[in-house]
Amino acid sequence: MIEKTYNVGIYCRLSNDDERDGESVSIENQKLLLQRYVREQGWNEIDVYIDDGYSGTNFQRPGVQRLIADAKAKRINVILVKDLSRFGRNYIEFGQYTDYLFPSIGCRFIALNNGIDTMRNDGSTDVMCFLNLFNEFYSRDTSKKVKAVKKACAENGKYMGTHPPYGYKRDPQDKHHFIIDEETAPLVRRMFAMRASGTPFRKIATTLNDEGIQPPGELYYQRQGRANPRRVNHLWNESTVKVMLRNEAYIGNMVQGKCGTLSYKSKKLVCKPKEEWIRVEGTHEPIISREVWDTVAAIDQKRVRKSDTADGIKSIFTGLVYCADCGFKMRNQVERFTYKDGTPGRYSSFICGNYSRSGKKACTIHTIYEDVLKQLVLADIREKAQYAEYDRERLLTQIIRMKDKELHSRTASYEQELKAASARVSELERLMQNLYEDKCTGVVPQTVFQTLMKKYEMERAQKAAAIPELERKVRAQMENRHDAGQWAEIIRRYTEITDLDETILFELVDRIEVGEAQKCGKTRIQDVKVFYRYVGCVDDALAQERREAV
C-alpha cells in the first residue's frame, strides 16, 4: 500500500477585529505552532499564507485567495490553521469551502486548537458548523461594540476620521482635537472670501491652479516626504472646493457619521440621511466667522450663476433681483452704444425673467437700470445702518414684532394643515378596516371592496407622504426666528458706505423685489423693496410702526 504524501499549506491571520491575547495569537506564534505540528506529523510544508490586518468576515483576502488557488492547482492537499476563526468568521462562506470546495478537490482541512480534521470520521466535524456560527456571532458583537464606541466618541465631539480638514492639524496633546494650521488656514479664509463675493467654485479652483497652490492631497504627501501614489491630476477641482466650502468644521463644528457600512460583513460605504449625522457645535477654534459662513450658504441656496459677458463685466446684483409680481428672477441685459466722440458705452438693466421668456401674457417688463438700482439699494443700506447705529432698540423692537406676527401666522397655517392631514389618515385607516370587515361578512361585494380599498389607499399614501414635510415646516418656523440683533451688528458698520460690491450685497441682502414702473405725470415711480438677511424687509416693520403711531 502506497502511503499518501501530505503537502501542507499553513494559513495565519490576525486583524483588529480579533481578540489579541498578548503574544499567544500573534502571526509569528501561530506560524511556529503550526510548523511544529507539521514536523511532528512528518508532512511537507509547502508554503505559509498570511493575512495580517484583514477582517475574517469576508474571504476576499490576498492570503486566503492564494491558498485556495494552490489547493485547486493540487500544489497542496492539506490546509492547516490554528483555529476556525483564523480561516474566517463568515458562517455561510466558511461552509461553502469546508463542506463543498475542499472535499471536491480532495483537500484536507485541519483546525488544530478546535480538534477539527475533515479526514477523521470520529464526529469531530459535527460541531464545526456550531463553532463557525459562534465565530460569526463574535464578529457581529465586536462590530456593534466598535460602532457604539465610535458613535459615543463622535457625540462627545471627538474627531474619529483619518485626516483633519485642510486648514487644521491634530492637536499634539489630543489626537481627536483640531488646532488651526497657520500655514494653510489663510488660504481657507481666502477661498471663503472669494465665494462670499459670488465667485463660482470652478473659478476658485482655476485661480488656485493658476497660482500653483497645491491641493490638499498633494500637500499631505509632500509633508509625508513621498510622492502621491494615486492616479489623479494633482490639481484643484470644482468638487474639492465645493466640499471644503460646505464643511462645518471651519466654523468650529464637528459633523461626523455621514457615511456607514451596510453591515459588518460589507465594507461598502453608503451615505446616511442628514437626520442621522452626528453634529456637535463648538468643538474647536473656527477659521472663519459665522457671518461669512451664512453668506456662502445663502449664495449656494440662490444657485447664483453669472454668465460671461462680451466685455467681461458682470452685474453685482445677479441672483438677487426678483420680480415683485410673478416672483421670477430678473434677467440682466446689456445694451451697447457709441458716443459721438466714438468711445463705446453700455447700459446694464434688469427685466422680468418671466416676461423675457414668455412675453406679455406671462408678466410685464418691470425694467430697471442697474445704476438706478445701485443708488436705491445703497441709500437703503445707509438709512438702515443709521437706524441701527442711532436708534437700535426701537428698530429691533419693530422688527421682532413683525417677525413674531409672521411666524405665528405661518406656523398656525402649517399646524392646521398638519392636523387635518393626520386626522384624515386616521379616518382613512378606520374606513379601510371597516371596509375589510364588511367584505369578510359579505356586506360589500369583492369588486366594490377592491375599488374602494384602492381609492382609500392612494389617498392615505398621499396624506401620509405630506405629513413629514408639514412637520418639517412647523419645526422650521419655530426654529428660524431671524436674529435681529445679529443683523443690526452687521449693518451698523455701513453707515458711511459710499459704494456697493458683491461681498457687501451677499453679506446683507437676501433678495430685492422690483415692481412695475408707473408714470405720474413726467415722474416715473417704481417700488423697490430690499429684503435683508436675518430680518426680511425692514421697511415693512417701519411702515407698521408709522401706522400704529397714526
Side-chain angles (χ1 to χ4, degrees):
M1 182 176 179
I2 301 175
E3 186 177 350
K4 185 175 181 179
T5 302
Y6 291 103
N7 298 320
V8 183
I10 295 174
Y11 181 75
C12 306
R13 183 186 66 83
L14 191 66
S15 74
N16 292 330
D17 64 354
D18 289 313
E19 183 181 358
R20 294 177 180 263
D21 184 17
E23 292 295 317
S24 61
V25 295
S26 69
I27 289 290
E28 190 61 30
N29 280 357
Q30 288 182 54
K31 179 180 172 182
L32 292 174
L33 174 67
L34 298 177
Q35 287 177 330
R36 183 168 64 248
Y37 181 76
V38 171
R39 289 195 301 269
E40 290 173 354
Q41 299 299 317
W43 297 341
N44 299 324
E45 178 188 327
I46 301 301
D47 206 344
V48 177
Y49 306 83
I50 295 175
D51 283 318
D52 193 4
Y54 288 86
S55 171
T57 54
N58 72 78
F59 284 82
Q60 302 306 311
R61 312 189 297 267
V64 82
Q65 290 297 312
R66 190 166 64 88
L67 172 77
I68 292 169
D70 284 352
K72 288 179 178 180
K74 307 295 183 181
R75 183 168 178 246
I76 59 175
N77 56 15
V78 176
I79 294 176
L80 180 63
V81 297
K82 175 179 174 286
D83 56 57
L84 295 175
S85 65
R86 296 305 100 200
F87 189 61
R89 294 183 182 273
N90 188 310
Y91 174 74
I92 296 175
E93 286 194 66
F94 196 110
Q96 291 290 331
Y97 287 113
T98 57
D99 294 344
Y100 298 100
L101 178 62
F102 295 159
S104 68
I105 61 177
C107 187
R108 182 178 176 183
F109 180 83
I110 301 174
L112 192 59
N113 285 2
N114 299 123
I116 302 295
D117 187 343
T118 56
M119 185 178 177
R120 296 205 307 258
N121 295 319
D122 56 0
S124 63
T125 58
D126 294 345
V127 298
M128 185 163 58
C129 60
F130 296 106
L131 293 174
N132 288 334
L133 193 58
F134 292 148
N135 286 331
E136 181 165 329
F137 284 158
Y138 173 83
S139 183
R140 180 184 302 176
D141 184 60
T142 301
S143 176
K144 288 181 179 179
K145 290 177 180 177
V146 170
K147 286 183 178 178
V149 170
K150 288 185 176 180
K151 183 179 179 182
C153 290
E155 289 173 344
N156 288 327
K158 294 183 177 181
Y159 182 63
M160 302 305 294
T162 306
H163 308 298
Y166 188 85
Y168 285 104
K169 58 185 179 181
R170 290 188 187 274
D171 187 341
Q173 307 299 322
D174 182 1
K175 67 178 183 180
H176 299 296
H177 181 254
F178 295 156
I179 57 174
I180 293 178
D181 184 348
E182 297 300 339
E183 180 182 346
T184 55
L187 181 62
V188 174
R189 297 188 186 99
R190 180 188 172 196
M191 292 169 67
F192 272 93
M194 292 173 71
R195 182 59 180 165
S197 66
T199 308
F201 296 117
R202 181 172 294 181
K203 179 64 176 177
I204 295 174
T206 303
T207 302
L208 299 180
N209 288 330
D210 290 344
E211 295 178 7
I213 298 174
Q214 290 184 323
E218 287 299 303
L219 181 62
Y220 169 78
Y221 284 106
Q222 183 188 54
R223 288 178 171 179
Q224 295 290 317
R226 54 196 180 99
N228 188 344
R230 297 178 299 169
R231 297 184 63 183
V232 293
N233 60 11
H234 312 296
L235 296 171
W236 289 89
N237 58 65
E238 183 178 356
S239 298
T240 301
V241 174
K242 189 180 295 184
V243 169
M244 283 184 60
L245 297 182
R246 292 175 178 174
N247 190 345
E248 287 191 47
Y250 296 117
I251 53 172
N253 298 342
M254 194 75 75
V255 182
Q256 301 182 90
K258 295 181 179 181
C259 300
T261 55
L262 291 170
S263 74
Y264 68 98
K265 293 183 181 181
S266 172
K267 299 302 179 184
K268 182 180 179 180
L269 292 176
V270 293
C271 294
K272 295 181 180 180
K274 282 190 175 182
E275 296 77 24
E276 297 181 16
W277 293 1
I278 300 173
R279 185 173 179 272
V280 184
E281 296 186 1
T283 59
H284 52 274
E285 184 181 357
I287 291 179
I288 62 163
S289 67
R290 185 74 197 199
E291 290 78 14
V292 173
W293 171 268
D294 289 343
T295 301
V296 170
I299 293 173
D300 283 352
Q301 291 174 358
K302 292 182 178 66
R303 294 185 174 91
V304 177
R305 295 179 180 177
K306 299 195 175 186
S307 303
D308 292 330
T309 57
D311 54 8
I313 302 174
K314 301 176 184 179
S315 172
I316 63 173
F317 291 99
T318 300
L320 294 175
V321 190
Y322 292 79
C323 174
D325 294 318
C326 70
F328 269 61
K329 278 186 179 181
M330 297 189 70
R331 184 173 295 179
N332 180 230
Q333 61 178 16
V334 177
E335 305 169 47
R336 294 178 181 81
F337 60 91
T338 304
Y339 289 102
K340 291 182 180 180
D341 60 1
T343 58
R346 74 192 298 272
Y347 285 125
S348 175
S349 62
F350 283 86
I351 64 171
C352 173
N354 199 11
Y355 169 85
S356 175
R357 186 174 65 178
S358 304
K360 293 181 179 179
K361 288 187 177 181
C363 195
T364 53
I365 191 167
H366 289 73
T367 186
I368 186 170
Y369 283 107
E370 183 176 350
D371 289 343
V372 175
L373 181 63
K374 189 173 183 179
Q375 292 173 14
L376 292 173
V377 174
L378 181 60
D380 195 77
I381 290 174
R382 292 190 63 172
E383 178 190 13
K384 303 306 183 295
Q386 288 169 2
Y387 263 114
E389 180 67 21
Y390 301 111
D391 202 354
R392 182 175 183 271
E393 293 305 318
R394 178 185 167 196
L395 177 63
L396 293 184
T397 300
Q398 287 305 120
I399 291 173
I400 292 171
R401 286 179 61 188
M402 180 187 71
K403 299 307 295 182
D404 283 347
K405 184 177 180 180
E406 291 179 1
L407 176 66
H408 178 74
S409 175
R410 291 180 184 175
T411 303
S413 174
Y414 291 142
E415 285 178 342
Q416 187 175 2
E417 287 185 53
L418 177 61
K419 185 178 180 180
S422 300
R424 182 57 178 166
V425 168
S426 299
E427 182 184 6
L428 288 168
E429 290 175 348
R430 180 180 57 80
L431 289 172
M432 291 167 70
Q433 182 178 356
N434 293 340
L435 183 63
Y436 179 75
E437 292 174 355
D438 290 344
K439 179 251 184 186
C440 292
T441 57
V443 176
V444 176
Q446 178 69 23
T447 53
V448 176
F449 168 78
Q450 290 177 343
T451 302
L452 291 176
M453 185 63 77
K454 183 177 181 181
K455 177 183 175 182
Y456 289 160
E457 176 57 31
M458 287 180 61
E459 185 181 356
R460 191 200 67 80
Q462 290 174 352
K463 296 291 185 184
I467 286 175
E469 178 63 17
L470 289 171
E471 290 176 340
R472 185 195 65 78
K473 287 181 178 180
V474 170
R475 288 196 303 269
Q477 289 299 317
M478 297 303 295
E479 294 170 358
N480 285 341
R481 289 179 175 268
H482 293 295
D483 190 348
Q486 185 176 0
W487 171 79
E489 288 302 317
I490 295 173
I491 200 169
R492 67 194 302 179
R493 302 197 297 259
Y494 297 102
T495 54
E496 303 298 329
I497 185 175
T498 58
D499 195 13
L500 281 180
D501 59 30
E502 289 174 311
T503 303
I504 296 173
L505 274 176
F506 283 120
E507 182 182 19
L508 294 176
V509 178
D510 182 54
R511 62 191 281 134
I512 301 167
E513 291 187 358
V514 177
E516 182 58 275
Q518 305 292 332
K519 283 289 185 70
C520 184
K522 294 185 178 181
T523 306
R524 187 173 186 269
I525 301 175
Q526 193 166 15
D527 189 21
V528 176
K529 281 188 175 183
V530 181
F531 290 78
Y532 291 94
R533 291 174 55 206
Y534 306 110
V535 295
C537 184
V538 180
D539 285 332
D540 291 344
L542 297 176
Q544 180 179 339
E545 181 191 30
R546 287 191 288 269
R547 286 194 298 271
E548 292 173 352
V550 172

